Amino acid sequence: MSSLEIIIFIPFLAALAIWLGAPARLTAVVASTVNLLWVIVLAVRFPAFKSATDLAFVNKHVVLDNPAIAFAVGADGVSMIMALLTVLVTFAAIWQIVDKPSMYHISSLLISGGALGAFLCTDLFFIYAFHEVALIPTFLMIAIHGRAEKEQRLAVAWKTTIYLGAGSLVLLAGLVWAVIEFSGGGKLTFDLVALRAQAASSPLPAAAQAPLFFLLLVGFGTLVSLFPFHSWAAPAYATAPTPVAMLHSGVLKKFGLYGLFRIALPLLPSGAQVPWVQQALLLMLLGNILVVGLVTLHQKRLDDMLANSSVMHMGYLFLGLAAGTEIAVKGSMLLMFAHGVSIALLFAICGRMRNQLGTLEMAKLGGIGSHAPFLTVVFAFGAFASIGLPGLANFAGEVMIFMGAFANGNSSSTLIPAQGLTALHWTVILALWGVVISAVYMLRGYRAIFQGTPQTGLFMSDPASGQWLPLVLLAAVLLAVGCFPSLLLDLIQAPLVPGAIP
Amino acid sequence: MSVFNLEALLALLGLFVLLLEAFVPSVSSKALAGICMAGVAGVLVLLVTVAGGQDALPAFIGAYHQLDTLAIFYKAFALVITFLVLWLTLEAAPYLSKFTLDGKLGEMFSLPLFVCVGMMWMASAKDLVTVFVSLELVTVSFYVLVAYTRKSALALEAGVKYLILGALSTGVLVFGVAWVYGATGALSFEGITKAVQVGGVNKTALLFGVSFLLAGLGFKVAAVPFQMWVPDVYQGASTPTTVFLSVGSKAAGFAVLTRVIDALTVSGSMVRQEVITVLSIAGAVTVVVGSLPALFQTNVKRLLAYSSISHAGFLLLALAARDSVRVDLAPGGTVAFYLATYLPMTVLGFAALIQMRLNGRGEELDDFKGLAQKSPTLAFLITLAFASLAGLPLTAGFFGKMWVMLGLVDQQLWFALVCAIIGAAAGFYYYFRVILAMFTPEESTEPVRMGALARGVCVVLGCTIIVLGVYPKPLQMLLAKVPVAGKNATGH
């Protein structure tokens, strides 16, 4: 039994124990702490354990022979980073649950276990399956414990269900197609390692890669709120209970990107570079950055603003995908982690504020900084990270993406032939304005809420001792990774893009 | 001992129970159910033990009756579902008996045995006449079963609808059989296979007959546009009968369809392309049309009826993509696999409805509210059943749907694939509504109780759903041996 299997099953077993009557908070906190420490230990020992195939801690139980499906676990550098993100956010999300029904703990654990399974399995069937498992508690929590009137939260839950359900079925069709395409004539196999090897040894012609890549882009993209399939995401995060908002926007949503970067890209390396796919992708990601960015500017409530900003920032990650250079893809991995940590931090604070203040209308808030200096500082960490301030984790990722994308612009297709700039160049230039937009809404929100004169009747206190731990942890990670991105990037040693422009 | 005697054995048992019930009024329904269930279980054991090395069939019967793996699978399937239906009848007896004329359930125990005999015989049918006769045995028994709880107005309505449409579809079927016979000069599947390969057959006449044949069978498996009767009949009939219709009758219909389609689409067949096109369109439309009304249902039993139509669509698509041999399943194997996964989840879903009734609750969505507090076990099992019906991975329902999708991609039936995706996505909505209702907290917390037997059987069904979803290898290996019937037929 591999350590990874135990890590995956700890949250499920803990959830089962709570369902059967174990004390909810104790069990959940113990499980998430054990997982956090264990994954950190594994990440530290990871380089020493890597095998020839760049996978560590592999193990495999065969489920079917043809098509070959196995419960196969194994971690490469990227899945190690994603696992770290998962356990970190899980720990914070569970720790900050206070005085809630045990369903909160069970759901958080199930989402966490599903995400870990999706990131640590190397078999397409189980990757897909674990992600689906994590979606069910998300729906239930939004529908039952969501923070809106019953009619409204049900509508949000159904919208999320239908978008994500349809998205994952499109994804399933894409995965099945990929399996048929890359099994190499013989037995079908869902083994991602084998499929990657086959794609590397006998790749499809670029034109043939395009439709499959596009199908996977729509499938995975819907899960990551790619414009124009994004309209479920903002209301879902604004409505979801805090731990679910943290876990879904921070971790589970990254599954779609993980799939695009680790399944679609290695199998179809030229897929995103085929002109029509690239142009479509560039338009969609500009939709994320600019259209959703402008929508975010107009939000009046903190939770709506954070939710929309989370959708908007996905655009940068899709830019990394469209660029397809090694440095941009590596930057995307870093940004996935950084965005997950920063958005979880912001949602955690947002949840506290909602509980204490009862309103998140930015116009009605103000001067919280004078009552709650600690929260103010931590929120600033999250907000500045989210803008992309140097020294915090998101910055390194964004810079790598922009540089990688601009570098590859030279070889990309020319959509608007003006002054030698290609479509990719123009997109980078336009996307950079997203940073400005982020700065405007984040700083404006920060000023409206934390600075100025305190509003009468609204009192916000710093968390009691013990409750600050998850916030400090997340902020510290943002700072550490921001100053030393190599902490994470060194985990990735094999090239991420087959035959990429370095 | 030859396997075909099993049907005779079961028919005798049915007659015995029928007479026992008529002449010994004091015998309790528990005893009747016990006898029937023991008999069915015994026959199942005999089938499994004898199936491997049965004697050659006597000549007079061999012309009409075959015993390939497919036949044995569907025989076992019929026995299992009959057993479960008998158990459900016993379980539901306390409230069902209020709706019968004499307050007893007598024939509700013997009639399923006759249905089972019909389904078993149908599984072995080698020609269209045998199909017709056994199908009639099944259908006529169902006419009685559907209307048995006749103090209920809904059941009467269901009975009349089923009778009229059943009779009509029988007529259509016979008409089709006659035309196929007229065109090919053969009634046996083997003969039809040869005739469509050789040529010299009037193609128009054959297609005319085939369309009526498929329409007749379409009624039985509830394919669009012959699905109109399903929601009313499923809702009106007593729940055990609904299960029987939804699982047993459908499986028997698909057993026959598999053989008919195998004969008609054998390589070199003159109607091959037409039949595949019809199947893929019918399947695609069935999936979508079956799913859409389900979106608006608030009655769970009716919802399951629409779900049953949608699943029939997936099964038709499995038949349409039957040329795909990428998975280790024979063409008929995909259908059989799907049905084998369909059985536990559907039975569990309906068993839950019976438990709700026994606890004085109805079958509306609102009756499921707060079930997670009142009976966590039952709520968990229902969640499992509905997640599986929706086709979530790690439950039984997923692999069936995935094999269908795999076949559709492999055969490049894109229209059907899109419809399958739409239907399955709609499924997320209407199945999750039930799950959501159960987990929604409710003020009143009077507990929902389950009997020990009910709990045991439901847990077994739930475990089956998980095992088939996580480790489907044994089932797949069993069905990998199902011979390609075309090959089988031409091999003789």
Side-chain angles (χ1 to χ4, degrees), chain A residues 30-54:
Chain A
V30 167
S32 61
T33 313
V34 168
N35 251 4
L36 175 65
L37 297 177
W38 200 333
V39 173
I40 291 176
V41 169
L42 286 187
V44 170
R45 293 177 19 165
F46 174 69
F49 267 89
K50 267 205 305 197
S51 67
T53 54
D54 284 317

Side-chain angles (χ1 to χ4, degrees), chain B residues 65-148:
Chain B
H65 191 282
Q66 61 184 340
L67 269 175
D68 54 3
T69 322
L70 198 62
I72 291 169
F73 171 81
Y74 279 112
K75 278 180 202 285
F77 191 95
L79 287 165
V80 170
I81 188 61
T82 309
F83 183 86
L84 288 169
V85 165
L86 289 167
W87 163 69
L88 286 172
T89 312
L90 179 64
E91 194 71 29
Y95 76 87
L96 277 189
S97 52
K98 288 181 203 150
F99 293 104
T100 57
L101 281 187
D102 55 356
K104 285 161 115 188
L105 293 176
E107 285 86 356
M108 281 202 80
F109 294 110
S110 52
L111 284 171
L113 298 182
F114 295 118
V115 175
C116 184
V117 171
M119 294 195 298
M120 287 172 75
W121 198 258
M122 220 186 313
S124 287
K126 271 177 96 171
D127 66 312
L128 290 169
V129 172
T130 316
V131 167
F132 178 72
V133 171
S134 43
L135 196 62
E136 277 311 277
L137 177 56
V138 171
T139 314
V140 172
S141 307
F142 267 125
Y143 293 152
V144 184
L145 276 175
V146 168
Y148 201 83

Side-chain angles (χ1 to χ4, degrees), chain B residues 13 47 60 78 96-98 111 141 160 218 239 253 309 330 342 409 479:
Chain B
L13 179 69
L47 175 72
F60 76 94
L96 277 189
S97 52
K98 288 181 203 150
L111 284 171
S141 307
V160 171
T239 305
I309 299 175
Y342 178 70
V409 174
L479 293 170

